[in-house]
Amino acid sequence: MNRIFQFLSIAFLFVLVFNSCNKKEEKVQESKIISGAIWKDNNGVPINAHGGGMLYHDGVYYWYGEHKVEGLVGNTAQVGFHCYSSTNLYDWNDEGIVLRVVEDDPDHDIAKGVIMERPKVIYNQKTKKFVMWFHLEPKGVMYDGAKTAIAIADSPTGNFKYVRSMRPNAGHMPLNAGDLIEKPIHPVALSYRFGGSAIPFSTDSLNLVKRDFKNGQMSRDQTLFVDDDGTAYHIHASEENATLHISKLTDDYTDTTGEYVRVFPDRFMEAPAIFKKDGKYYLIASGCTGWAPNASRSAVAENIFGPWQELSNPFKGELAYISYDSQGNYVLPIAGKKDAFMYMGDRWNPTNPIDGRYVWLPIKFDIDGYPYVDYLPEWDFSEYEK
Ligand code: DGJ
C-alpha cells in the first residue's frame, strides 16, 4: 500500500512538473509582443482574428478579425468575425463572434461558405453606432464579386447586424479622372475577369472604372480611416486590384458619397492601411501575390484625396522583400502615446488558415519623417520611449 502511495505521489509530482514546464512553453505572450508565436486569449485559446482591424473606444482596444478554421475550407467564412478586447494590447479577452455567418439560408449574402475578409470597425459619434465594413465575395464566384459589405451594432462587441453589400460609387466618376475621361475604353477591358496581379492593358484610360461605372467599382482588400473632423473614408483595392480607390463615406458611415479618387494606378497594392501624423497621411500597403508575402509599399500625402507620393518599402533588412513574412492589415495609433503607431500584419497559412500568425511591430520615422519598420523578435511598448 505504502509503495503504491509512494508511486502515485511521484507520478503526481511528475505530472505537475511536466505540466508547469509545458505551460511555460505555451505562455508566449507575457507583456511582450512576439511576432509569429501563438498568442492566447484569456481562456488559453489561440487568438483567431486574421486580416483584422482595431477600434479604440472608451479606454479599450477591440480587435476584430476573420475567424478561420482548419484546412483549405478555412479560407472561406465558416464562422464569422471574432472580437477580442484589451486595455494593454498584451492580454486579450474573448468577446466571441460578433458577426456570424448565416447557416440556414444558403442564398444569404453572408451564408456559411462565402468569403468574408478584412473587417474594420469605426464608431460614429453622431449615430452612436459601431459600423463595420468588410470585403465580401458571394458563394461560388471566387474573387469576382469584389464587393464591400456593411454591418452595424450598438456596442463594440456586437452583435453586428448585417445591412447590405455593394460595389461602391455606382454612377460616379473619380474626382481625379481629369482628361482620361475622354479617352476611349480598351475593348479587352469590357470582358476582362480577374487574373491575379497583372492585366493585359493599362488602366490609364479609366477602362475598368468605365466598365464598372453603372454597377459600382470593384472593392477587394479594404480598410477604413476616420479623420480628425470625423469624416470617414473607405480605402479599397479596385480595378482588378490594379488601383486603390479612396472614397468618402456618408455622415452615418454606412455608404459612400460618390466622391472618390483613384490612387497609385497600375501599382497593384493590396492590404491598405492609413494613418495620420503631424497633419500628413501615410499609407502602408502590400503588393499583390495572393497569400504569399511580398515587399510592402509606403506613401505620404498632405491631403487624403492626394496627390500621394510613393515612398520606399518601409521594411528594412534581410526579410524586407517579404515584409518579415507578413502582409499588413492595420496601423494602430497607440492611445496616450504621441507619434506611436504599430504595424499589424498577418503571417497567412493558406493550407491551414487557423494557424495563421500575427506580426506586430512598432513603426518608426526616419530623418525625413518617413515611416519604417525594423524587425524585433520580441518587444514591448517601452519601445516607443526609445
Ligand atoms: C491577399 C489578400 O490580401 C487577402 O486578404 C486575401 O484576399 C488573399 N489575397 C487571397 O488570395
Side-chain angles (χ1 to χ4, degrees), residues 46 111 199 201 205 294 301:
I199 47 179
F201 51 87
S205 50
N294 51 51

Side-chain angles (χ1 to χ4, degrees), residues 66 115 117-118 135 143 221 270-271 286 289-291 327-328 348:
E66 304 156 26
I115 291 173
E117 292 180 350
R118 297 186 176 269
H135 172 194
Y143 281 87
D221 275 15
E270 285 194 318
S286 72
T289 51
W291 299 111
Q327 183 186 33
W348 302 112

Side-chain angles (χ1 to χ4, degrees), residues 289-346:
T289 51
W291 299 111
N294 51 51
S296 290
R297 327 276 177 82
S298 66
V300 62
E302 306 269 348
N303 184 314
I304 193 162
F305 271 171
W308 281 85
Q309 178 198 351
E310 193 170 339
L311 306 169
S312 54
N313 179 354
F315 292 86
K316 304 295 166 208
E318 222 185 314
L319 291 181
Y321 75 105
I322 48 169
S323 309
Y324 308 144
D325 198 0
S326 78
Q327 183 186 33
N329 55 51
Y330 199 70
V331 170
L332 177 74
I334 307 295
K337 286 193 195 285
K338 193 173 160 4
D339 298 341
F341 299 90
M342 181 174 75
Y343 165 84
M344 294 170 56
D346 291 283

Side-chain angles (χ1 to χ4, degrees), residues 15-182:
V15 168
L16 264 187
V17 171
F18 181 78
N19 264 352
S20 73
C21 287
N22 254 4
K23 278 218 178 86
K24 248 195 193 147
E25 254 175 42
E26 280 172 12
K27 206 164 184 254
V28 287
Q29 179 87 335
E30 215 181 55
S31 303
K32 272 193 187 109
I33 304 291
I34 304 177
S35 293
I38 292 177
W39 298 359
K40 294 190 173 176
D41 67 12
N42 57 315
N43 301 314
V45 176
I47 292 176
N48 197 337
H50 310 265
M54 200 83 88
L55 169 75
Y56 182 71
H57 185 77
D58 283 348
V60 180
Y61 294 96
Y62 296 92
W63 176 6
Y64 303 89
E66 304 156 26
H67 181 105
K68 305 273 196 186
V69 300
E70 283 184 13
L72 285 179
V73 74
N75 290 314
T76 62
Q78 298 295 311
V79 178
F81 293 138
H82 211 133
C83 175
Y84 297 85
S85 66
S86 174
T87 50
N88 60 12
L89 295 166
Y90 300 119
D91 303 304
W92 291 96
N93 294 315
D94 183 7
E95 300 288 354
I97 301 298
V98 292
L99 180 67
R100 195 169 278 284
V101 296
V102 172
E103 298 218 25
D104 56 5
D105 176 3
D107 297 325
H108 197 282
D109 270 8
I110 59 163
K112 186 175 176 177
V114 302
I115 291 173
M116 290 164 64
E117 292 180 350
R118 297 186 176 269
K120 304 288 175 277
V121 175
I122 52 180
Y123 176 64
N124 189 293
Q125 294 280 358
K126 289 183 194 138
T127 62
K128 311 279 176 231
K129 301 280 183 199
F130 296 84
V131 186
M132 173 190 280
W133 286 57
F134 59 96
H135 172 194
L136 176 72
E137 295 292 343
K139 216 184 276 180
V141 301
M142 293 299 290
Y143 281 87
D144 270 352
K147 292 175 106 185
T148 190
I150 295 129
I152 291 194
D154 292 322
S155 126
T157 53
N159 284 335
F160 281 79
K161 192 171 168 289
Y162 178 72
V163 179
R164 69 177 190 293
S165 69
M166 63 166 175
R167 285 273 191 101
N169 297 315
H172 295 274
M173 272 296 175
L175 296 175
N176 60 348
D179 53 12
L180 296 181
I181 223 160
E182 309 300 336

Side-chain angles (χ1 to χ4, degrees), residues 151-282:
I152 291 194
D154 292 322
S155 126
T157 53
N159 284 335
F160 281 79
K161 192 171 168 289
Y162 178 72
V163 179
R164 69 177 190 293
S165 69
M166 63 166 175
R167 285 273 191 101
N169 297 315
H172 295 274
M173 272 296 175
L175 296 175
N176 60 348
D179 53 12
L180 296 181
I181 223 160
E182 309 300 336
K183 286 196 171 181
I185 189 163
H186 193 297
V188 179
L190 288 173
S191 56
Y192 184 76
R193 308 302 313 162
F194 182 54
S197 62
I199 47 179
F201 51 87
S202 158
T203 61
D204 74 352
S205 50
L206 301 186
N207 291 303
L208 299 170
V209 171
K210 289 172 187 162
R211 180 195 70 184
D212 294 333
F213 177 78
K214 192 161 158 258
N215 296 326
Q217 299 300 313
M218 300 182 95
S219 181
R220 291 197 182 107
D221 275 15
Q222 58 113 54
T223 192
L224 296 173
F225 174 77
V226 182
D227 212 338
D228 304 332
D229 64 357
T231 309
Y233 298 85
H234 181 230
I235 301 97
H236 55 102
S238 196
E239 302 179 40
E240 304 289 354
N241 287 7
T243 302
L244 286 181
H245 287 188
I246 302 182
S247 308
K248 187 172 161 187
L249 300 191
T250 52
D251 281 354
D252 65 1
Y253 300 167
T254 65
D255 206 349
T256 49
T257 55
E259 290 166 80
Y260 72 106
V261 289
R262 310 169 68 230
V263 290
F264 314 108
D266 291 330
R267 285 290 289 139
F268 290 91
M269 294 196 186
E270 285 194 318
I274 285 196
F275 61 102
K276 192 176 183 183
K277 176 179 170 287
D278 300 332
K280 288 188 181 167
Y281 301 84
Y282 294 91

